[in-house]
Amino acid sequence: MKVPLSWLKDYVDITVSPEELAHRLTMAGTEVEKIESTANWDNVVVGHVRAVNPHPNADRLRLVTVFNGAEEVEVVCGAPNVAAGQTIAYASIGAVLRDPYSDDPDATRRLKKSKIRGVESQGMVCSEKELGLSDEHEGILELDTSAEPGTPLGEVLGDTVIEAELTPNRPDCLGILGIAREVAVLTGQELRLPETDFASEDPAASVLASVKIDDPDLCSRYTGTVIRGVKIGPSPAWLADRLRAIGERPINNIVDITNYVMFELGQPLHAFDHNRVKDHEVIVRRAKPGEKIVTLDGEERKLDGEMLLIADPEKGIGLAGVMGGANSEIDESTTDVFLESATFNGSNNRRTSSSLGLRSQATLRFEKGLRSGLAEVALRRATRMILELAGGTAASGIIDVHPGKDDEQESVPLSREKLGRVLGDSIPEDKVISTLESLGFGVKSNDAGWDAKIPYWRPDVTIPEDLIEELARIIGYDEFPVTPPAGRVPTWQPRPETTVRDKIADALVRAGMQEIISYSATNEEGENRVPLPSDTLDFVRILNPISSDHATLRRTLRENVLNSVERNLRTWRGPIALFEIGHVFGSAGEGLPQERIMITGAVAGPANDPSWSEQPRPSDFYDAKGVIESLLSELHSEGAFAAAEDPAFVAGRTAEVTVPTAGGVRIGMVGEVLPEVLARFDIETPVHMFEMELDALLSVEKSIGPQDIYSPTVRYQDSARDLALLVDRTVAAAEVIKIASNNRLVTGATVFDVFEGKGLPEGKKSLAVRVVYQSPNKTLTADEISKAESGILRSLEHQLGATLRT
Amino acid sequence: MSSTPTEESIVTLKAEALDQLANAADEASVESWRVEYMGRRGRLTGILRNLGSLDPDQRRAIGAAANRLKGELESALDERAAEIKRSGSSQPKDAIDVTLPGRRTRRGGLHPSTQIIREMLDAFNEMGFQTVEGNEVELERYNFDMLNIPADHPARDMQDTIWIDRERASEDGGVLLRTQTSGMQPRIMEKQDPPVRIVSPGKCFRFEATDATHEWQFHQVEGLAVDEGLSFADLKGTLYEFARRIFGADRKVRFRCDFFPFVEPGVDMSIDWNGRWVEILGAGMVHPRVLRNVGYDPEKYTGFAFGVGPERVAMLKYGIEDIRHFFGNDLRFLTQF
């Protein structure tokens, strides 16, 4: 909302700087976004046109002699309306003016010395557009001032406009008077109300027109009057200027007055051509489903049965509180005006305007639910202004149909007890009363506290807490005490989803992975590049996507992770190792979709940063697998990896991960992504990916108790022996380890070397295994160890065909 | 980080640097001198980095002086290093090159949003607020209706919504991408009696055009306390404490009136950021209608609620110029935090 200070000054004296004013308004809830001065004209002064002569080389240009207070200068001017004797705005060389040929209001040009068609121009006579006052560039601006030539233009013209961002609870501040009321309270000044009285003549308004409300639930009050014999014409300059200053286009005096009063008081009004209302009979009713009306903007609107219509006995003449009808519009031929100022239901008004896509200045106010008292004040104000500026005769009395009269809340009680309880502080009695009264509330004291009569312009105040806010914001929030939070601290509740998730993220970070966070929405085409397991649920589709790139909720993190790998392969030289922990979604029919938390990560590119001490190597399956192993070991458990299949992964290079100690729960998988999938992401290097589900890891975490973590260290020495085994290529290392570990003296076994190829028989590989032997009861002898070792070798040979390499 | 550079600070720096360099007796002290003044976080580097905070005229003058000093220090360094070398090192034959990089464990990192969310949660957790998390897709009933934002209410304009399903088939209303994590308030309060003290982090979504300061997806950390005897003073106390934790103990904070439909009175908290007030948090006393909606008696219980945007806070704190970096997943961005 734009608030020109020149307009504001009609109602309140401004005793502080615009910056201070903006600060006080902001602190009290009306946030001022910017302060703009339209008076920033350097090198522009009042000038007198002394003579106008033809340009020697151009028919459409003239040579204008301007007296600038110091001397006469010659200016080349193309404006058709320049004439001797005018007082104008003269810009000398160096002035910075708005670029009249640009649509950007911030585009400026610095005036330079120049020759125009062979004649030097010593400056310029300005148009309104060049001065940034309006878009008017047809001719020069003629000043209406007695100021001496040479007076800086800023002293004659120009204004400061504050732009306030209003909260939706304060429709009163959508009127300049509402802002003035705030200013008056915040600066301790008197408020001057606009004049609303006028002379009237019989017959009575109720004789000249009638109003009937068929649907009082949507229209709690309708006031109207008739002004006959008006003269339609342009508004006087001051009125047109004010409308322009707030960004409105002047139309004609009647329409401008209704707009002006709306911007002054916050109450939208509408003027009908009285003689185009059939039988002068106005009916406020719901539209018939499918009923049509052509609105003022020339559009035909098809209505539904919940939209409120202003009609005459024959047809709709206006869409109540949204936009007038074209068939009853004020035009040059209008002589009699029917003026409407009514109170329409806010949510119905909002529903109508949003379903028709027709937001107007009127709906912006009505949708907030105005109080009915405002309607009459605005009607009287607009009538007075019409009589003043368009002439005519006002009918006596007004038409006032007020079915909602008794439904409106009159006052709000506030107890001292509540005030103290909510604010944690008390406010002196007289301060409460004077503050509320300054805001327009009628305050009565009683035993418990106060009763505040709600002013007609404040629909937002309905409960005691609203009054408390009024008091606190005017006194200033910073004036109230600060205490450490009182009250009881609730009993602690376990939230494993949060704590385990954080633990997982930390473990992955320690394993070298960088966390990423992607958008929760994608599109089908994008996501379909990655095949998903067949039990994946259907897409959850968005009704109003922000763009076609984000039209469905993601069902997987695989796409996001691969996108991120692709993006970083282009710009990142080091290892790419990243993961995301995020929600994925699947359609579950009615209601909320299924939502799960997945942990997906990938490694690609080099496995290590270039180093003087380490050989470079590409990352591979075992880097990805190692991340899962590190994670599980932080959860004090161990995974079992078994070859598995997945449509996105290379067969034979993919494993499913289960945790035997947690009932064999499947936590996810790890593998090499299929090259044809990678090709769809323009990735040319191998990517190894893992995917786990939080719920499964929660059950792993849950399966581990403190008793599973610690066992006393054994006092007796352990011994390590290495076995060099020859096995078939197809034998899984895990099988070997399992058999070795089955021996009761074995406390650990690891593969520390794998070799196949040269020197070995076809189809065979060599595995080097370190086996650790230990007994809790004694130090094992060499014999005991050898016996155990022979047992293991026998089992290996028997079960896996393994032989000792010699 | 260093404060705003001045010509004076450059002169002082030069004197200190040259003095200290003259006293460096061996290669190690020369190296630590180099790190102190000209390393990535060195003092001169700091000045060069902070030139951006100066107005253009000053930037030119001080920038030139700083660059000149850089050249001077570099040649002084080379000279001193050569001197030390000439004076003959007394290194043993089996000496190793101690300047070769060490073998580091490669660590990853948490996303900056996660980091700042955790920092915020830690602050609130310590004040007795327990973390609760919910789904990203929410019912209209919890996201709006229960929070005193009925359908066809202008307050809905404050949070343009991305819908999954708009039909109001039941009192649950439509299905939407949550516009705030505040839906956890009624969900928790429906299930338990006061005292309530929760803080709820998570992703939120708004139907909003994206630019350097607006994202349609962002995170929110939102909190709620309800009990007998909680007041505006407690709200202020909690948020002051939070601001001290996140922005430093000396940070100036101000509260002003603002409107959010689920609170009354409504509060906006701003912090002083280099002389400019920056809004970082919305808050207020829980609206009695919200309490009544979950079956709490507003004559008995009062409470306060607040919400803060981690990305906004991170942008302010680190001077991140474009919010779109957060979900761009560029390692060059992410690995800096």
mmCIF file of all heavy atoms in Angstrom, chain A residues 26 31 350 422 469 477 480 486 488 498 501 515 518-520 543-544 568 595, chain B residues 108-109 114 133 136 157 161 163 197 203 215 227 232 236 256 266 279 331:
data_model
loop_
_atom_site.group_PDB
_atom_site.id
_atom_site.type_symbol
_atom_site.label_atom_id
_atom_site.label_comp_id
_atom_site.label_asym_id
_atom_site.label_seq_id
_atom_site.Cartn_x
_atom_site.Cartn_y
_atom_site.Cartn_z
ATOM 1 N N THR A 26 6.526 0.440 11.636
ATOM 2 C CA THR A 26 7.037 -0.930 11.518
ATOM 3 C C THR A 26 6.997 -1.635 12.867
ATOM 4 O O THR A 26 6.531 -2.776 12.977
ATOM 5 C CB THR A 26 8.480 -0.898 10.977
ATOM 6 O OG1 THR A 26 8.470 -0.285 9.686
ATOM 7 C CG2 THR A 26 9.037 -2.305 10.851
ATOM 8 N N GLU A 31 4.533 -2.798 8.538
ATOM 9 C CA GLU A 31 5.922 -2.782 8.102
ATOM 10 C C GLU A 31 6.105 -1.864 6.895
ATOM 11 O O GLU A 31 5.460 -2.042 5.866
ATOM 12 C CB GLU A 31 6.380 -4.195 7.745
ATOM 13 C CG GLU A 31 7.866 -4.240 7.506
ATOM 14 C CD GLU A 31 8.348 -5.612 7.110
ATOM 15 O OE1 GLU A 31 7.527 -6.538 7.009
ATOM 16 O OE2 GLU A 31 9.559 -5.757 6.895
ATOM 17 N N ARG A 350 -14.116 -13.749 -1.095
ATOM 18 C CA ARG A 350 -12.805 -14.266 -1.475
ATOM 19 C C ARG A 350 -12.941 -15.487 -2.376
ATOM 20 O O ARG A 350 -12.202 -15.656 -3.338
ATOM 21 C CB ARG A 350 -12.037 -14.650 -0.212
ATOM 22 C CG ARG A 350 -10.654 -15.146 -0.487
ATOM 23 C CD ARG A 350 -9.923 -15.379 0.808
ATOM 24 N NE ARG A 350 -8.812 -16.275 0.600
ATOM 25 C CZ ARG A 350 -7.602 -15.894 0.214
ATOM 26 N NH1 ARG A 350 -7.371 -14.612 0.004
ATOM 27 N NH2 ARG A 350 -6.642 -16.765 0.024
ATOM 28 N N VAL A 422 -1.022 -13.180 30.201
ATOM 29 C CA VAL A 422 -0.472 -13.309 28.851
ATOM 30 C C VAL A 422 0.830 -12.520 28.700
ATOM 31 O O VAL A 422 1.775 -12.990 28.080
ATOM 32 C CB VAL A 422 -1.514 -12.866 27.788
ATOM 33 C CG1 VAL A 422 -0.889 -12.806 26.409
ATOM 34 C CG2 VAL A 422 -2.702 -13.832 27.803
ATOM 35 N N GLU A 469 -2.695 -7.428 22.349
ATOM 36 C CA GLU A 469 -1.744 -7.071 21.299
ATOM 37 C C GLU A 469 -1.784 -5.566 21.011
ATOM 38 O O GLU A 469 -0.748 -4.922 20.827
ATOM 39 C CB GLU A 469 -2.012 -7.845 20.000
ATOM 40 C CG GLU A 469 -1.036 -7.442 18.895
ATOM 41 C CD GLU A 469 -1.197 -8.256 17.619
ATOM 42 O OE1 GLU A 469 -0.625 -9.355 17.554
ATOM 43 O OE2 GLU A 469 -1.882 -7.793 16.691
ATOM 44 N N TYR A 477 6.818 -3.600 22.065
ATOM 45 C CA TYR A 477 7.168 -4.936 22.550
ATOM 46 C C TYR A 477 8.453 -4.918 23.369
ATOM 47 O O TYR A 477 8.622 -5.700 24.297
ATOM 48 C CB TYR A 477 7.334 -5.890 21.359
ATOM 49 C CG TYR A 477 6.044 -6.416 20.782
ATOM 50 C CD1 TYR A 477 4.801 -5.958 21.217
ATOM 51 C CD2 TYR A 477 6.072 -7.392 19.789
ATOM 52 C CE1 TYR A 477 3.630 -6.457 20.674
ATOM 53 C CE2 TYR A 477 4.901 -7.898 19.241
ATOM 54 C CZ TYR A 477 3.681 -7.421 19.686
ATOM 55 O OH TYR A 477 2.542 -7.931 19.140
ATOM 56 N N PHE A 480 8.528 -4.682 27.343
ATOM 57 C CA PHE A 480 8.056 -5.713 28.273
ATOM 58 C C PHE A 480 9.208 -6.585 28.752
ATOM 59 O O PHE A 480 10.222 -6.705 28.074
ATOM 60 C CB PHE A 480 6.948 -6.532 27.608
ATOM 61 C CG PHE A 480 5.692 -5.726 27.448
ATOM 62 C CD1 PHE A 480 5.470 -4.974 26.292
ATOM 63 C CD2 PHE A 480 4.770 -5.644 28.475
ATOM 64 C CE1 PHE A 480 4.334 -4.189 26.166
ATOM 65 C CE2 PHE A 480 3.630 -4.860 28.361
ATOM 66 C CZ PHE A 480 3.413 -4.130 27.200
ATOM 67 N N ALA A 486 9.464 -20.054 31.963
ATOM 68 C CA ALA A 486 8.933 -20.726 33.152
ATOM 69 C C ALA A 486 8.207 -21.991 32.710
ATOM 70 O O ALA A 486 8.239 -22.362 31.544
ATOM 71 C CB ALA A 486 7.990 -19.771 33.873
ATOM 72 N N ARG A 488 6.730 -26.162 33.325
ATOM 73 C CA ARG A 488 7.334 -27.480 33.530
ATOM 74 C C ARG A 488 7.977 -27.975 32.244
ATOM 75 O O ARG A 488 7.491 -27.703 31.154
ATOM 76 C CB ARG A 488 6.252 -28.464 33.959
ATOM 77 C CG ARG A 488 5.609 -28.113 35.292
ATOM 78 C CD ARG A 488 4.324 -28.876 35.484
ATOM 79 N NE ARG A 488 3.284 -28.420 34.564
ATOM 80 C CZ ARG A 488 2.121 -29.047 34.378
ATOM 81 N NH1 ARG A 488 1.857 -30.156 35.027
ATOM 82 N NH2 ARG A 488 1.235 -28.553 33.540
ATOM 83 N N THR A 498 14.741 -39.636 14.827
ATOM 84 C CA THR A 498 15.633 -38.488 14.783
ATOM 85 C C THR A 498 17.041 -38.864 15.235
ATOM 86 O O THR A 498 18.020 -38.571 14.540
ATOM 87 C CB THR A 498 15.083 -37.360 15.676
ATOM 88 O OG1 THR A 498 13.803 -36.998 15.180
ATOM 89 C CG2 THR A 498 15.999 -36.153 15.654
ATOM 90 N N ARG A 501 18.710 -41.365 12.816
ATOM 91 C CA ARG A 501 19.021 -40.719 11.546
ATOM 92 C C ARG A 501 20.276 -39.853 11.674
ATOM 93 O O ARG A 501 21.165 -39.875 10.819
ATOM 94 C CB ARG A 501 17.833 -39.875 11.064
ATOM 95 C CG ARG A 501 18.076 -39.330 9.676
ATOM 96 C CD ARG A 501 17.438 -37.983 9.430
ATOM 97 N NE ARG A 501 17.558 -37.113 10.577
ATOM 98 C CZ ARG A 501 16.633 -36.255 10.934
ATOM 99 N NH1 ARG A 501 15.512 -36.167 10.241
ATOM 100 N NH2 ARG A 501 16.811 -35.486 11.991
ATOM 101 N N GLU A 515 27.010 -34.927 2.648
ATOM 102 C CA GLU A 515 25.539 -34.924 2.569
ATOM 103 C C GLU A 515 25.050 -33.941 1.507
ATOM 104 O O GLU A 515 25.574 -32.835 1.388
ATOM 105 C CB GLU A 515 24.923 -34.543 3.920
ATOM 106 C CG GLU A 515 23.404 -34.675 3.916
ATOM 107 C CD GLU A 515 22.715 -34.072 5.143
ATOM 108 O OE1 GLU A 515 23.343 -33.261 5.856
ATOM 109 O OE2 GLU A 515 21.554 -34.419 5.371
ATOM 110 N N SER A 518 18.178 -32.620 -1.842
ATOM 111 C CA SER A 518 17.569 -32.313 -3.133
ATOM 112 C C SER A 518 16.106 -31.937 -2.942
ATOM 113 O O SER A 518 15.574 -32.005 -1.844
ATOM 114 C CB SER A 518 17.644 -33.529 -4.063
ATOM 115 O OG SER A 518 18.923 -34.097 -4.033
ATOM 116 N N TYR A 519 15.481 -31.582 -4.048
ATOM 117 C CA TYR A 519 14.053 -31.280 -4.003
ATOM 118 C C TYR A 519 13.249 -32.562 -3.798
ATOM 119 O O TYR A 519 13.593 -33.610 -4.341
ATOM 120 C CB TYR A 519 13.612 -30.614 -5.305
ATOM 121 C CG TYR A 519 14.237 -29.262 -5.512
ATOM 122 C CD1 TYR A 519 15.212 -29.063 -6.486
ATOM 123 C CD2 TYR A 519 13.849 -28.180 -4.739
ATOM 124 C CE1 TYR A 519 15.787 -27.828 -6.678
ATOM 125 C CE2 TYR A 519 14.422 -26.931 -4.924
ATOM 126 C CZ TYR A 519 15.395 -26.762 -5.895
ATOM 127 O OH TYR A 519 15.957 -25.534 -6.077
ATOM 128 N N SER A 520 12.165 -32.446 -3.061
ATOM 129 C CA SER A 520 11.309 -33.612 -2.828
ATOM 130 C C SER A 520 10.425 -33.923 -4.026
ATOM 131 O O SER A 520 9.773 -34.951 -4.049
ATOM 132 C CB SER A 520 10.428 -33.382 -1.596
ATOM 133 O OG SER A 520 11.220 -33.374 -0.437
ATOM 134 N N LEU A 543 -1.011 -31.214 -7.965
ATOM 135 C CA LEU A 543 -2.055 -30.548 -8.751
ATOM 136 C C LEU A 543 -1.542 -29.275 -9.412
ATOM 137 O O LEU A 543 -1.871 -28.993 -10.546
ATOM 138 C CB LEU A 543 -3.222 -30.154 -7.832
ATOM 139 C CG LEU A 543 -4.191 -31.238 -7.404
ATOM 140 C CD1 LEU A 543 -5.296 -30.613 -6.556
ATOM 141 C CD2 LEU A 543 -4.802 -31.904 -8.632
ATOM 142 N N ASN A 544 -0.796 -28.490 -8.667
ATOM 143 C CA ASN A 544 -0.326 -27.198 -9.189
ATOM 144 C C ASN A 544 1.194 -27.120 -9.064
ATOM 145 O O ASN A 544 1.714 -26.389 -8.227
ATOM 146 C CB ASN A 544 -0.981 -26.039 -8.430
ATOM 147 C CG ASN A 544 -0.760 -26.108 -6.931
ATOM 148 O OD1 ASN A 544 -0.596 -27.185 -6.371
ATOM 149 N ND2 ASN A 544 -0.712 -24.963 -6.278
ATOM 150 N N ASN A 568 28.510 -32.934 -10.445
ATOM 151 C CA ASN A 568 29.819 -32.729 -9.828
ATOM 152 C C ASN A 568 30.962 -33.318 -10.642
ATOM 153 O O ASN A 568 32.092 -32.832 -10.545
ATOM 154 C CB ASN A 568 29.818 -33.266 -8.402
ATOM 155 C CG ASN A 568 29.063 -32.341 -7.470
ATOM 156 O OD1 ASN A 568 29.462 -31.204 -7.262
ATOM 157 N ND2 ASN A 568 27.929 -32.808 -6.970
ATOM 158 N N GLU A 595 4.987 -42.450 3.070
ATOM 159 C CA GLU A 595 6.198 -41.629 3.143
ATOM 160 C C GLU A 595 7.246 -42.419 3.921
ATOM 161 O O GLU A 595 6.988 -42.873 5.025
ATOM 162 C CB GLU A 595 5.861 -40.320 3.874
ATOM 163 C CG GLU A 595 6.696 -39.157 3.467
ATOM 164 C CD GLU A 595 6.076 -37.799 3.874
ATOM 165 O OE1 GLU A 595 4.870 -37.570 3.627
ATOM 166 O OE2 GLU A 595 6.809 -36.997 4.428
ATOM 167 N N GLY B 108 33.764 -36.603 5.112
ATOM 168 C CA GLY B 108 32.725 -35.898 4.363
ATOM 169 C C GLY B 108 32.216 -34.737 5.183
ATOM 170 O O GLY B 108 32.948 -34.204 6.027
ATOM 171 N N GLY B 109 30.994 -34.342 4.969
ATOM 172 C CA GLY B 109 30.440 -33.244 5.742
ATOM 173 C C GLY B 109 28.937 -33.263 5.689
ATOM 174 O O GLY B 109 28.349 -33.854 4.784
ATOM 175 N N THR B 114 21.576 -28.863 7.368
ATOM 176 C CA THR B 114 21.560 -29.819 8.479
ATOM 177 C C THR B 114 22.372 -29.267 9.641
ATOM 178 O O THR B 114 21.971 -29.356 10.807
ATOM 179 C CB THR B 114 22.155 -31.165 8.028
ATOM 180 O OG1 THR B 114 21.448 -31.601 6.872
ATOM 181 C CG2 THR B 114 22.055 -32.211 9.119
ATOM 182 N N GLU B 133 9.437 -34.827 14.592
ATOM 183 C CA GLU B 133 9.432 -34.612 13.145
ATOM 184 C C GLU B 133 8.200 -35.250 12.532
ATOM 185 O O GLU B 133 7.673 -36.228 13.052
ATOM 186 C CB GLU B 133 10.701 -35.195 12.523
ATOM 187 C CG GLU B 133 11.933 -34.419 12.990
ATOM 188 C CD GLU B 133 13.209 -34.896 12.332
ATOM 189 O OE1 GLU B 133 13.348 -34.683 11.129
ATOM 190 O OE2 GLU B 133 14.038 -35.477 13.047
ATOM 191 N N GLU B 136 6.332 -34.781 5.175
ATOM 192 C CA GLU B 136 6.369 -33.598 4.317
ATOM 193 C C GLU B 136 5.022 -33.361 3.649
ATOM 194 O O GLU B 136 4.687 -32.238 3.292
ATOM 195 C CB GLU B 136 7.482 -33.748 3.271
ATOM 196 C CG GLU B 136 8.866 -33.677 3.903
ATOM 197 C CD GLU B 136 10.004 -33.974 2.945
ATOM 198 O OE1 GLU B 136 9.772 -34.071 1.725
ATOM 199 O OE2 GLU B 136 11.146 -34.127 3.426
ATOM 200 N N ASP B 157 -3.153 -16.402 1.934
ATOM 201 C CA ASP B 157 -2.291 -15.761 0.933
ATOM 202 C C ASP B 157 -0.848 -15.697 1.397
ATOM 203 O O ASP B 157 0.068 -15.562 0.589
ATOM 204 C CB ASP B 157 -2.743 -14.314 0.665
ATOM 205 C CG ASP B 157 -4.013 -14.285 -0.156
ATOM 206 O OD1 ASP B 157 -4.396 -15.346 -0.672
ATOM 207 O OD2 ASP B 157 -4.611 -13.200 -0.267
ATOM 208 N N THR B 161 0.141 -22.421 -1.596
ATOM 209 C CA THR B 161 0.261 -23.842 -1.301
ATOM 210 C C THR B 161 0.418 -24.709 -2.545
ATOM 211 O O THR B 161 -0.191 -24.431 -3.571
ATOM 212 C CB THR B 161 -1.001 -24.283 -0.526
ATOM 213 O OG1 THR B 161 -1.149 -23.417 0.585
ATOM 214 C CG2 THR B 161 -0.900 -25.717 -0.063
ATOM 215 N N TRP B 163 -0.516 -28.243 -3.854
ATOM 216 C CA TRP B 163 -1.536 -29.224 -3.480
ATOM 217 C C TRP B 163 -1.305 -30.570 -4.147
ATOM 218 O O TRP B 163 -0.894 -30.645 -5.305
ATOM 219 C CB TRP B 163 -2.926 -28.721 -3.888
ATOM 220 C CG TRP B 163 -3.367 -27.515 -3.131
ATOM 221 C CD1 TRP B 163 -3.164 -26.202 -3.483
ATOM 222 C CD2 TRP B 163 -4.073 -27.489 -1.880
ATOM 223 N NE1 TRP B 163 -3.702 -25.367 -2.525
ATOM 224 C CE2 TRP B 163 -4.268 -26.128 -1.531
ATOM 225 C CE3 TRP B 163 -4.553 -28.486 -1.023
ATOM 226 C CZ2 TRP B 163 -4.923 -25.746 -0.363
ATOM 227 C CZ3 TRP B 163 -5.213 -28.103 0.132
ATOM 228 C CH2 TRP B 163 -5.391 -26.738 0.464
ATOM 229 N N ARG B 197 6.405 -28.986 25.094
ATOM 230 C CA ARG B 197 7.558 -28.163 24.722
ATOM 231 C C ARG B 197 8.267 -28.902 23.601
ATOM 232 O O ARG B 197 9.028 -29.827 23.848
ATOM 233 C CB ARG B 197 8.464 -27.975 25.932
ATOM 234 C CG ARG B 197 9.173 -26.634 25.935
ATOM 235 C CD ARG B 197 9.942 -26.395 27.194
ATOM 236 N NE ARG B 197 9.158 -25.677 28.191
ATOM 237 C CZ ARG B 197 9.709 -25.012 29.203
ATOM 238 N NH1 ARG B 197 11.011 -24.982 29.358
ATOM 239 N NH2 ARG B 197 8.950 -24.380 30.081
ATOM 240 N N LYS B 203 11.510 -29.994 6.086
ATOM 241 C CA LYS B 203 11.332 -29.308 4.804
ATOM 242 C C LYS B 203 9.926 -28.731 4.702
ATOM 243 O O LYS B 203 8.972 -29.369 5.135
ATOM 244 C CB LYS B 203 11.482 -30.323 3.671
ATOM 245 C CG LYS B 203 12.853 -30.433 3.056
ATOM 246 C CD LYS B 203 12.761 -31.368 1.849
ATOM 247 C CE LYS B 203 14.138 -31.788 1.364
ATOM 248 N NZ LYS B 203 14.028 -32.798 0.303
ATOM 249 N N GLU B 215 12.893 -19.596 -2.430
ATOM 250 C CA GLU B 215 12.910 -20.972 -2.895
ATOM 251 C C GLU B 215 11.552 -21.561 -2.618
ATOM 252 O O GLU B 215 10.944 -21.260 -1.592
ATOM 253 C CB GLU B 215 13.975 -21.772 -2.115
ATOM 254 C CG GLU B 215 15.202 -22.126 -2.921
ATOM 255 C CD GLU B 215 14.979 -23.184 -3.996
ATOM 256 O OE1 GLU B 215 13.824 -23.563 -4.282
ATOM 257 O OE2 GLU B 215 15.989 -23.638 -4.557
ATOM 258 N N ASP B 227 1.792 -24.358 28.677
ATOM 259 C CA ASP B 227 1.643 -24.784 30.068
ATOM 260 C C ASP B 227 0.874 -23.700 30.820
ATOM 261 O O ASP B 227 0.566 -22.649 30.261
ATOM 262 C CB ASP B 227 3.029 -25.009 30.714
ATOM 263 C CG ASP B 227 2.934 -25.902 31.956
ATOM 264 O OD1 ASP B 227 1.829 -26.371 32.273
ATOM 265 O OD2 ASP B 227 3.980 -26.131 32.590
ATOM 266 N N PHE B 232 4.246 -13.799 27.560
ATOM 267 C CA PHE B 232 5.029 -13.058 26.576
ATOM 268 C C PHE B 232 6.473 -12.874 27.045
ATOM 269 O O PHE B 232 7.403 -12.918 26.237
ATOM 270 C CB PHE B 232 4.345 -11.695 26.412
ATOM 271 C CG PHE B 232 4.747 -10.896 25.216
ATOM 272 C CD1 PHE B 232 4.425 -11.322 23.950
ATOM 273 C CD2 PHE B 232 5.427 -9.690 25.371
ATOM 274 C CE1 PHE B 232 4.782 -10.559 22.840
ATOM 275 C CE2 PHE B 232 5.784 -8.924 24.266
ATOM 276 C CZ PHE B 232 5.462 -9.365 22.996
ATOM 277 N N LYS B 236 9.808 -14.013 25.054
ATOM 278 C CA LYS B 236 10.963 -13.158 24.778
ATOM 279 C C LYS B 236 12.240 -13.769 25.339
ATOM 280 O O LYS B 236 13.289 -13.754 24.690
ATOM 281 C CB LYS B 236 10.734 -11.753 25.361
ATOM 282 C CG LYS B 236 9.726 -10.930 24.574
ATOM 283 C CD LYS B 236 9.533 -9.528 25.158
ATOM 284 C CE LYS B 236 10.754 -8.650 24.991
ATOM 285 N NZ LYS B 236 10.513 -7.281 25.527
ATOM 286 N N ARG B 256 9.054 -6.806 17.301
ATOM 287 C CA ARG B 256 8.022 -5.871 16.865
ATOM 288 C C ARG B 256 6.740 -6.641 16.579
ATOM 289 O O ARG B 256 6.745 -7.863 16.464
ATOM 290 C CB ARG B 256 8.482 -5.091 15.639
ATOM 291 C CG ARG B 256 8.642 -5.934 14.392
ATOM 292 C CD ARG B 256 8.857 -5.035 13.183
ATOM 293 N NE ARG B 256 8.609 -5.762 11.955
ATOM 294 C CZ ARG B 256 7.423 -5.833 11.362
ATOM 295 N NH1 ARG B 256 6.388 -5.214 11.866
ATOM 296 N NH2 ARG B 256 7.281 -6.535 10.253
ATOM 297 N N GLY B 266 1.165 -11.294 17.984
ATOM 298 C CA GLY B 266 2.144 -11.821 17.047
ATOM 299 C C GLY B 266 3.431 -11.016 17.108
ATOM 300 O O GLY B 266 3.422 -9.819 17.389
ATOM 301 N N GLU B 279 14.957 -9.379 9.803
ATOM 302 C CA GLU B 279 13.951 -10.284 10.374
ATOM 303 C C GLU B 279 14.460 -11.700 10.272
ATOM 304 O O GLU B 279 14.860 -12.136 9.205
ATOM 305 C CB GLU B 279 12.664 -10.230 9.554
ATOM 306 C CG GLU B 279 11.894 -8.965 9.687
ATOM 307 C CD GLU B 279 10.678 -8.956 8.756
ATOM 308 O OE1 GLU B 279 10.200 -10.033 8.371
ATOM 309 O OE2 GLU B 279 10.250 -7.842 8.415
ATOM 310 N N LEU B 331 29.336 -29.750 -4.929
ATOM 311 C CA LEU B 331 30.329 -30.023 -3.882
ATOM 312 C C LEU B 331 31.192 -28.802 -3.585
ATOM 313 O O LEU B 331 31.675 -28.628 -2.469
ATOM 314 C CB LEU B 331 31.217 -31.203 -4.282
ATOM 315 C CG LEU B 331 30.522 -32.575 -4.250
ATOM 316 C CD1 LEU B 331 31.438 -33.648 -4.848
ATOM 317 C CD2 LEU B 331 30.120 -32.957 -2.831
#
